[in-house]
């Protein structure tokens, strides 16, 4: 008899608890936000083709992040639309912390380049933190007649109808750098878009195009091995890995200085616990000796810890949108 009464009491309490859960307002159900994270593999979307600078950078830190998170990380390359296709996919992904975005400066220029852009990255994404600031280099095919930037500028102005500039597609970092460079030397030269940085570089190596801007992640080894000619770096200071390359400012082209910042985001609405955990794993990776050594080989380095934060990335993202909008408007170069 006692057992029967106890069972009835348990049933009553269970029914009461279930009723309370059902009538609990949706806004106060925080189970998802408080759930352990991560409990399954994570996908990092890189909105550019495999083998490009952003892809290489992501794979470098992903190896260490996997160990810290205790889960495997899959890199998914989603090319198209100058990076907008991949960004759009992440925005529409489940807001659970298992779909992450790593991309670069292009996310700040897209609102100006794509006048019919269907999303607002500032509102639709949640920042994790800044990863690295990657300089670019002005490079040319290995048999280019000019051996330095000064001679190349003179050669380009005299032969502008015969030269071609390669880039990775409208809105890509190489496109933006080229736009500034050609404007600085006041030369109207044929531009040849490619489906990614690697195809553009392959065309340069094969001598099918004449010159381009590309991130040091892709060019440092090729310049040092003389597979391509290096003319200048786009950073404010010379680089340890490329000490013989002058800066654009040294060469008198102050207005063409540009570097490619890389950051990490998740869809807006992702639980704060997942954002914090991802940020921790990212910062651990950016302090790892093996990652730092690999970054040094690629002529880049992580942002200071104070900027490896959601606030640091959000601040730079907003500032870069404001910086590039008038430049793109003046150039009247649009992707749609």
């Amino acid at each position: 008899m006692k057992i029967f009464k106890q069972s009835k009491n348990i049933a009553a309490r269970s029914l009461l608890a279930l009723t309370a859960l059902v009538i609990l307002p949706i806004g106060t159900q925080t189970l998802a936000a408080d759930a352990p994270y991560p409990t399954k593999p994570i996908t990092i979307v890189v909105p550019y083709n495999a083998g490009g600078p952003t892809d290489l950078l992501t794979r470098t830190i992903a190896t260490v992040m996997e160990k810290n998170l205790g889960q495997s990380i899959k890199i998914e390359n989603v090319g198209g639309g100058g990076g907008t296709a991949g960004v759009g996919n992440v925005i529409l992904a489940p807001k659970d912390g298992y779909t992450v975005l790593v991309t670069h400066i292009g996310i700040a220029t897209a609102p100006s380049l794509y006048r019919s852009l269907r999303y607002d990255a500032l509102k639709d994404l949640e920042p994790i933190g800044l990863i690295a600031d990657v300089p670019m280099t002005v490079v040319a095919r290995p048999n280019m007649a000019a051996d330095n930037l000064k001679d190349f500028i003179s050669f380009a102005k005299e032969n502008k109808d015969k030269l071609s500039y390669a880039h990775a597609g409208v809105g890509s970092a190489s496109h933006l750098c080229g736009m500034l460079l050609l404007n600085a030397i006041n030369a109207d030269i044929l531009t040849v878009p490619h489906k990614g940085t690697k195809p553009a570089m392959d065309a340069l190596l094969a001598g099918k195009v004449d010159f381009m801007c590309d991130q040091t992640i892709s060019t440092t080894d090729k310049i040092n091995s003389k597979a391509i000619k290096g003319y200048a770096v786009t950073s404010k200071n010379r680089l340890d890995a490329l000490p013989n390359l002058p800066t654009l400012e040294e060469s008198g082209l102050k207005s063409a200085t540009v570097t490619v910042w890389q950051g990490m985001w998740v869809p807006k609405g992702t639980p704060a616990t997942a954002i914090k955990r991802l940020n921790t794993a990212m910062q651990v990776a950016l302090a790892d000796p093996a990652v730092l050594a690999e970054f040094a080989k690629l002529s880049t380095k992580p942002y200071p810890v104070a900027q490896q934060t959601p606030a640091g990335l959000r601040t730079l993202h907003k500032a870069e949108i404001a910086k590039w909008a008038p430049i793109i408007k003046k150039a009247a170069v649009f992707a749609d």
Side-chain angles (χ1 to χ4, degrees), residues 243-259:
N244 296 323
L245 259 63
T247 66
L248 289 175
E249 188 169 345
E250 286 180 71
S251 306
L253 300 179
K254 296 181 181 180
S255 60
T257 299
V258 61
T259 55

Side-chain angles (χ1 to χ4, degrees), residues 90-171:
V90 172
I91 287 173
L92 296 176
K95 309 175 192 306
D96 55 9
Y98 292 97
T99 303
V100 180
L101 170 72
V102 172
T103 189
H104 61 43
I105 186 176
I107 198 171
T109 59
S112 297
L113 287 167
Y114 293 83
R115 293 165 294 184
S116 58
L117 197 62
R118 296 184 178 181
Y119 60 77
D120 183 337
L122 284 174
K123 295 180 179 179
D124 298 331
L125 291 172
E126 196 70 46
I128 299 298
L130 281 164
I131 299 172
D133 195 4
V134 186
M136 301 194 78
T137 49
V138 180
V139 296
R141 54 183 167 80
N143 58 347
M144 178 64 74
D147 290 324
N148 56 63
L149 185 62
K150 182 179 179 180
D151 290 346
F152 173 73
I153 292 174
S154 297
F155 181 81
K157 289 181 176 180
E158 293 172 4
N159 298 272
K160 59 184 179 181
D161 295 332
K162 302 176 183 179
L163 295 178
S164 58
Y165 174 84
H167 64 78
V170 175

